[in-house]
Amino acid sequence: MILIRILFICHGNICRSPMAEFVFRQMAEQAGLAERFDVASAATTDEEIWNGCGNPVYPPAVRKLREHGIDPSGKRARQMTKQDYEYYDYLLAAEQYNIQNMLRIVGGDPEHKIHRLLDYSKHPRDIDDPWYSGDFETAYRDIVEGCEAFLESFK
């Protein structure tokens, strides 16, 4: 069986990308496909990393995940590296701004691995940052939409 490696990316790795990481894991597990995927998440910045230690998932994001039976305990922010491009098959950003920063970090996308998560949906768009909007429900619904469409692409 081929292992598919997925890295979800957002600005700080405390809201959207960890939500996507854990939502996708839950969906893959429920579909009986969990063993096919290696799933993680990262940030394009080091803003949520202090003295080498990443901050945990932002409390409102934790609450939203727990409403849906998902526990992100133990997840800490980490910054994406150039090596991530070599390791992962898909690098899925929350928004176009993340892609610009990802390309700066990795120096280009010759293998076309970098996409927005919602590029897989019927309505491609950015996932608004709930850190600024406070709207974790819309962010969660957008993430579910993107993860469902992305997972469907493997069935």
Side-chain angles (χ1 to χ4, degrees), residues 60-70 137 140:
V62 171
R63 283 192 293 277
K64 183 53 62 182
L65 289 170
R66 287 188 174 150
E67 283 177 22
H68 299 278
I70 301 170
E137 178 59 32
Y140 179 82

Side-chain angles (χ1 to χ4, degrees), residues 7 9 44 80-82 84-86 88-117 119-120:
L7 186 65
I9 308 284
T44 60
M80 176 187 177
T81 66
K82 192 169 186 156
D84 286 330
Y85 189 84
E86 300 307 316
Y88 290 96
D89 302 305
Y90 296 89
L91 294 93
L92 303 178
E95 62 181 306
Q96 190 62 40
Y97 178 70
N98 304 143
I99 290 179
Q100 293 168 353
N101 287 330
M102 293 163 70
L103 293 172
R104 179 184 44 77
I105 291 166
V106 301
D109 184 18
E111 297 178 50
H112 308 289
K113 296 179 176 188
I114 297 175
H115 307 276
R116 289 181 307 178
L117 175 58
D119 286 344
Y120 289 87

Side-chain angles (χ1 to χ4, degrees), residues 18-19 21-22 25 56-59 61-66 69-76:
M19 288 172 73
E21 172 186 351
F22 286 93
R25 283 184 183 171
V57 178
Y58 191 50
V62 171
R63 283 192 293 277
K64 183 53 62 182
L65 289 170
R66 287 188 174 150
I70 301 170
D71 182 8
S73 295
K75 171 65 185 171
R76 291 198 164 271

